Amino acid sequence: MRIVVVGASLAGVRTVEGLRRRGSDADVVLVAGEPGAADGVAVDRPPLSKAFLASPDAEAAPLTTREKLGALGVELVPGRAVDLDLGARRVGLHGGESVAFDRLVVATGSSPRTVPGLEPVPGVFTLRTAADAAAIRAACTEDARVVVVGGGFIGAEVAWTLRQLGRPVALVEPLPTLMVRGLGPELGAAMTRRHAAAGVDLHLGTSVAGLEGRDRVEGVRLTDGTRLPADVVVLGVGTVPETGWLAGSGLDLRDGVVCDEHLAAVGAEGVHAVGDVARWHHPRYGVDVRVEHWTNAVETAGVVAADLAGERAVHDALPYVWTDQLGGRLQVFGQVRPGDEVRVVSGDLDGSFVAITGGEGQLRGLVGLGAVKQLMPFRRLLLAGAGWDEALAAA
Amino acid sequence: MHVSVDLNVCQGHGVCHMTAPDVFELDEEDGHAIVMVDPVPAELEADAQLAADSCPERAITVS
């Protein structure tokens, strides 16, 4: 049995480690194509928009090394996958080589979106790899004027981090509040006010119309007519799953590789997907989801390693994401849906707090800032499927 | 199985407590993990390993 894992970021690396921990004696190959990384192995990404960006001395270590993989009996193949032949059971690599497999794990993650129509000019960055983060850090010199495009978790976190370093930071977001997809409108609005109070120059409800500057970026023009001077522009406008190399393979691709609850690709034999690239039927929610969070990468790797080792597992974990900003750690568990009710059950929205969210009598989400301990009882209730009234009673 | 937490690395996500509540408790103040049972009894070993895997800071060592 030969298992080939394509992608050497968190989900791929944890999959090969998990296989060995579960006693798999299969031949295991890790195809590693992280751009700009030694041997193609990615670093742990969460610090890249946090501590790494904030400290000139911070380093980012790869998630594994050739030596560590060798000790596990895992073959490291640096290279970028360019196509998949399911019939011949081979993955084609850039440069013409190919790798044969019996079982395939797709772990190619996602790539940052860019803004349509924006010409790539020096000074404009996306943030995904350690090389990206190092380039942004180097460009954000003491007097650099920064414009962040996109007010999701990454954009807001980058804006906060750079503002704390004293940089003048503007943020452009087409929606009226920051982090609305993750936090919902009410909590998003409260956190937006805190960004404004911290001196982030917010431009909400407007979009980027174009860039100024020829040899390097000098400014950003907005659709509302505003012109923002800029030395550095960071695009944080989401990601797209890395499935280009799977086009025409016969795999069902719909914003990710479509999988069942075991993360086995639907309609294909012996193919799994893990991490950002996997879309699966979530038993807890009864809908197909794709999740780009750190914990999801770890959990999916555990499920697939178990499945390949002959222990059937289901991926029904409670989603968890965190971001370091607003003077603490913001943690979100479960789902915050747009129309859901929000109740602050500990603290207040100007300081540390815990809020519960839900609807139709259900507790569906938890948001906490700087309140790990206070979150815990509610987290247990959420996991246990407790109702809204039960959660309120625990407040 | 032995389990330990490097408190210089732990950032208080609390994932370990959620994953293995019988092995890890959380500090009242900062949410740092506290090991409740060491050595870990056989029936909790799988939970402890899962908690170590799930720690965003890789602050947990099992041996």
Side-chain angles (χ1 to χ4, degrees), chain A residues 150-153 156 171-195 202-206 338:
Chain A
F153 282 134
L171 187 150
V172 183
E173 164 59 48
L175 296 171
T177 58
L178 302 181
M179 299 181 278
V180 70
R181 250 183 71 206
L183 301 180
E186 192 175 332
L187 294 170
M191 298 306 107
T192 302
R193 289 193 293 275
R194 291 174 67 156
H195 269 267
L202 295 173
H203 295 265
L204 305 171
T206 183

Side-chain angles (χ1 to χ4, degrees), chain B residues 6-31:
Chain B
D6 184 342
L7 291 178
N8 294 316
V9 177
C10 173
Q11 293 282 314
H13 290 275
V15 177
C16 57
H17 174 63
M18 197 64 209
T19 310
D22 297 327
V23 183
F24 301 97
E25 191 40 80
L26 297 181
D27 181 273
E28 289 284 346
E29 291 298 314
D30 54 15

Side-chain angles (χ1 to χ4, degrees), chain A residues 14 17 21 44 63 294-295 298 320 322 324 329 331 333 372-373 376 379-380 383, chain B residues 11-15 17-18 25-28 30-31 49 53-58:
Chain A
R14 289 297 183 92
E17 291 173 351
R21 182 170 307 130
D44 197 36
L63 287 161
W294 187 96
T295 33
V298 171
Y320 167 56
W322 80 93
D324 291 349
R329 169 157 301 137
Q331 299 176 293
F333 302 91
V372 178
K373 188 80 183 179
M376 270 306 146
R379 201 168 163 184
R380 278 196 213 97
L383 198 62
Chain B
Q11 293 282 314
H13 290 275
V15 177
H17 174 63
M18 197 64 209
E25 191 40 80
L26 297 181
D27 181 273
E28 289 284 346
D30 54 15
Q49 182 65 61
D53 288 348
S54 306
C55 173
E57 313 296 340
R58 291 213 128 170

Side-chain angles (χ1 to χ4, degrees), chain A residues 36 63 76 144 243 266 276 314 322 364 376 384 387:
Chain A
L63 287 161
L76 175 67
T243 54
V266 170
D276 290 10
V314 166
W322 80 93
R364 288 202 273 252
M376 270 306 146

Side-chain angles (χ1 to χ4, degrees), chain A residues 72-83:
Chain A
L72 290 174
V74 173
E75 184 189 348
L76 175 67
V77 177
R80 190 163 54 81
V82 292
D83 55 46

Side-chain angles (χ1 to χ4, degrees), chain A residues 125-140:
Chain A
F125 303 90
T126 53
L127 176 49
R128 181 74 184 169
T129 67
D132 295 338
I136 293 170
R137 188 170 69 178
C140 288

